[in-house]
Amino acid sequence: MTVIKLTIQYDGTNYIGWQRQPRGQGVSVQQAIEDVLEQLYGEHITLHGAGRTDSGVHAVGQCASFVPTKPLPVSRVAQAMNNLLPPDIRISSAVAEAEDFHARFSASGKHYRYIIEQQPSCNAFSYRYAWQLGEKLDVAAMREAAQYLLGSHDFRHFCAVGSPVKDFVRTIESLQLSEPDFSANDQLWRQMERPLVIDICGNGFLYKMVRFIVGRLVAVGRHEIKPQDMAAFLIGEVPKNISVAPALGLTLVEVRYGGEKIGD
Amino acid sequence: MTVIKLTIQYDGTNYIGWQRQPRGQGVSVQQAIEDVLEQLYGEHITLHGAGRTDSGVHAVGQCASFVPTKPLPVSRVAQAMNNLLPPDIRISSAVAEAEDFHARFSASGKHYRYIIEQQPSCNAFSYRYAWQLGEKLDVAAMREAAQYLLGSHDFRHFCAVGSPVKDFVRTIESLQLSEPDFSANDQLWRQMERPLVIDICGNGFLYKMVRFIVGRLVAVGRHEIKPQDMAAFLIGEVPKNISVAPALGLTLVEVRYGGEKIGD
């Protein structure tokens, strides 16, 4: 029996996150898609997401898998689902995978992207997708701080309370800060002019880990703490209480398969 | 006494258009901004918009003017307003103009842009800003049809019922169709890959005129009517009843001042 792997985009603004919640708390992305799968397959289908994004977090390349209970042609699943889904959730592709495939447990890594608006005059269209800081950060200092996070570390002090995880060791493979210049582009495309973009790739991420990292990097960028304070956070010496970055600036870009598997 | 000219961006999705409506019908952009002006100046301020965009229409360069009733420094007005406005309305600039300036009556022309998504797999982020046609149009035929609209014409058959206007003659200075290729760009920027973009500049536009034009050009692009049928529409010979294009694909890009003035 095959498993179907979906690649999914969503604007997280109007959802309470990926994971299905008890009724009455708002709609999750998982629930919205499972409701459509039920319409297509005639019975409840459980969808397994690779990354359980928080309320407000967006995705360009979320992956999820399910076991189809009817032999609908895989080539038509994406279009059939998109015809039923709300416009802010889109199935980019649906492919058949081997029966041992599982979107979450087969994943070997993820790429997240965080966007910050440094310009004081923010854009009326980007507010849904960027942390509207409206202040210029010391990006060089942030890059210096980022170095302390590369590689394998115990990230328990970058993990929010409430995670059932026991093993906090994760590997950050890359952590890059860039300021792409779109000012030459037609600003009519509602693009921010010079956003600060933080790209982070790792073999797995703890609960709110990327948002902890970004919040603390921003504190470095604001000169509230020093770059080397990032090492202190890792060992639990918290130089200053720093909030996590808001969810709306975060996008799950891609989930990687193949290679060594580590869940979450 | 000076007049203050504001340049304004807004995402029109959550508003019932520019123009203030009787209470209970939803919030207009004009009302949202006037409410903020009242907070700043301590009394009701009437705001005059250059273009009265419909419900759902966006703006990158709307202009509006008002007479300030207190001598607040103009250089601080934009920031003060942005601190109070919702995030989907932004004041790009506030400048002092001569006392005979009026955002609507001093305007000499406008530039509108309409965006169409031709790809079958639509983007989860662009649905608010583009007409999700999801089909490939014959853009060459549409360009041919556009030629019939250039120059000065009586556009009464491109004007929705309900306009108080008596003079329907307007001049379309340019009407261009392009398919910018963003596929080389990082698709992480939530950009459509190959949108069809219609740019139209004219000395003034009648009620829903751009949306009538786009709707009919799309009918040409779908081969429902021929390019030369555009001439028939102008003289009131309507070859086929074609709907106006939806509001969400339309953006007021810029209002032009200086040169010969014609209202609306």
Side-chain angles (χ1 to χ4, degrees):
Chain A
M1 179 168 36
T2 55
V3 167
I4 293 183
K5 170 189 170 189
L6 303 174
T7 305
I8 307 163
Q9 290 187 355
Y10 48 86
D11 178 334
T13 307
N14 294 326
Y15 297 94
I16 54 166
W18 169 264
Q19 198 160 8
R20 183 183 268 278
Q21 300 288 340
R23 293 267 169 203
Q25 296 196 10
V27 180
S28 70
V29 179
Q30 177 186 12
Q31 181 188 329
I33 302 177
E34 284 182 348
D35 288 351
V36 163
L37 287 174
E38 187 164 335
Q39 291 181 62
L40 283 183
Y41 288 92
E43 55 188 289
H44 175 75
I45 302 275
T46 299
L47 189 64
H48 302 281
R52 286 161 301 175
T53 51
D54 282 342
S55 181
V57 175
H58 312 288
V60 176
Q62 166 72 291
C63 283
S65 55
F66 68 94
V67 177
T69 54
K70 277 197 306 203
L72 297 175
V74 179
S75 60
R76 300 184 59 182
V77 167
Q79 185 65 47
M81 293 180 72
N82 283 332
N83 289 343
L84 296 168
L85 284 166
D88 51 5
I89 301 176
R90 296 286 94 187
I91 308 300
S92 312
S93 70
V95 296
E97 293 280 352
E99 60 176 288
D100 67 346
F101 179 84
H102 188 284
R104 184 174 161 205
F105 301 131
S106 304
S108 54
K110 296 190 182 77
H111 170 193
Y112 281 95
R113 174 171 279 204
Y114 199 96
I115 301 175
I116 293 170
E117 171 63 270
Q118 301 181 87
Q119 301 282 355
S121 58
C122 304
N123 184 300
F125 305 93
S126 63
Y127 70 93
R128 292 162 70 95
Y129 311 112
W131 184 5
Q132 304 280 3
L133 268 189
E135 56 179 287
K136 186 76 187 68
L137 298 171
D138 182 347
V139 179
M142 294 169 75
R143 285 199 181 98
E144 194 185 325
Q147 299 305 304
Y148 292 94
L149 300 176
L150 288 178
S152 302
H153 302 277
D154 184 310
F155 281 99
R156 71 184 65 211
H157 300 295
F158 288 78
C159 180
V161 169
S163 168
V165 156
K166 300 281 186 284
D167 171 19
F168 296 95
V169 175
R170 298 290 179 274
T171 303
I172 291 185
E173 298 148 2
S174 68
L175 177 44
Q176 300 192 308
L177 287 79
S178 59
E179 292 181 277
D181 187 355
F182 289 102
S183 53
N185 256 345
D186 194 350
Q187 224 247 352
L188 304 177
W189 295 105
R190 294 172 286 263
Q191 205 51 275
M192 291 168 274
E193 275 192 31
R194 275 191 83 82
L196 171 61
V197 178
I198 301 174
D199 281 286
I200 182 167
C201 294
N203 66 351
F205 291 90
L206 303 165
Y207 184 38
K208 291 192 167 72
M209 178 170 153
V210 179
R211 294 167 57 189
F212 267 100
I213 289 173
V214 172
R216 289 162 178 175
L217 286 177
V218 166
V220 170
R222 282 171 156 163
H223 295 167
E224 291 175 7
I225 56 176
K226 301 190 199 58
Q228 51 266 40
D229 289 337
M230 206 56 68
F233 280 114
L234 278 169
I235 62 173
E237 300 281 340
V238 176
K240 191 172 170 175
N241 221 7
I242 311 287
S243 310
V244 293
L248 88 172
L250 185 62
T251 300
L252 172 56
V253 174
E254 191 182 11
V255 181
R256 201 174 64 217
Y257 295 94
E260 192 181 331
K261 300 189 215 320
I262 298 186
D264 272 324
Chain B
M1 180 168 35
T2 55
V3 167
I4 292 183
K5 169 189 171 188
L6 302 175
T7 305
I8 307 164
Q9 289 188 358
Y10 49 85
D11 177 333
T13 306
N14 294 327
Y15 297 94
I16 54 165
W18 168 265
Q19 197 160 10
R20 183 183 269 277
Q21 300 289 340
R23 293 268 169 201
Q25 296 197 11
V27 180
S28 70
V29 180
Q30 177 185 13
Q31 182 187 329
I33 302 176
E34 284 181 347
D35 287 351
V36 164
L37 287 173
E38 186 164 337
Q39 292 181 60
L40 283 182
Y41 289 93
E43 56 188 286
H44 176 74
I45 302 276
T46 299
L47 188 64
H48 302 281
R52 287 160 302 175
T53 50
D54 281 343
S55 181
V57 175
H58 313 289
V60 175
Q62 166 73 290
C63 283
S65 56
F66 68 94
V67 177
T69 55
K70 278 197 306 203
L72 296 174
V74 180
S75 60
R76 302 183 58 181
V77 167
Q79 185 64 49
M81 293 180 72
N82 283 332
N83 290 342
L84 297 169
L85 283 166
D88 50 4
I89 300 175
R90 298 284 94 188
I91 309 300
S92 310
S93 70
V95 297
E97 292 279 352
E99 60 174 288
D100 66 347
F101 179 85
H102 188 285
R104 184 173 160 206
F105 301 130
S106 304
S108 55
K110 295 191 183 76
H111 170 193
Y112 281 95
R113 175 170 277 204
Y114 198 95
I115 300 175
I116 293 170
E117 171 64 89
Q118 299 181 89
Q119 300 282 356
S121 59
C122 303
N123 183 301
F125 305 93
S126 63
Y127 69 93
R128 292 161 70 95
Y129 311 113
W131 185 4
Q132 303 279 3
L133 267 190
E135 55 180 287
K136 186 76 187 66
L137 298 171
D138 182 348
V139 179
M142 294 170 76
R143 285 197 181 100
E144 195 186 324
Q147 299 305 305
Y148 292 92
L149 301 176
L150 288 177
S152 301
H153 303 276
D154 184 312
F155 280 98
R156 72 184 64 209
H157 299 294
F158 287 79
C159 179
V161 169
S163 167
V165 156
K166 300 280 187 284
D167 171 19
F168 296 95
V169 175
R170 299 290 179 274
T171 302
I172 291 184
E173 296 146 5
S174 68
L175 177 44
Q176 300 192 307
L177 286 78
S178 59
E179 291 181 278
D181 186 355
F182 288 102
S183 52
N185 256 345
D186 195 347
Q187 223 247 352
L188 305 177
W189 295 105
R190 292 172 288 263
Q191 205 52 274
M192 290 169 274
E193 275 192 33
R194 271 191 86 81
L196 171 59
V197 178
I198 300 174
D199 281 286
I200 181 166
C201 295
N203 66 352
F205 291 88
L206 303 165
Y207 183 39
K208 290 193 166 78
M209 179 171 151
V210 178
R211 293 166 58 189
F212 266 100
I213 289 173
V214 172
R216 289 161 178 177
L217 286 176
V218 166
V220 170
R222 281 171 157 164
H223 296 164
E224 291 175 7
I225 55 177
K226 302 189 197 58
Q228 52 266 40
D229 289 337
M230 206 57 67
F233 281 113
L234 279 169
I235 61 173
E237 298 282 339
V238 175
K240 191 171 169 173
N241 221 7
I242 311 287
S243 310
V244 293
L248 88 173
L250 185 62
T251 300
L252 171 57
V253 172
E254 190 182 11
V255 181
R256 201 174 63 219
Y257 295 94
E260 192 182 330
K261 302 191 216 320
I262 296 188
D264 272 327

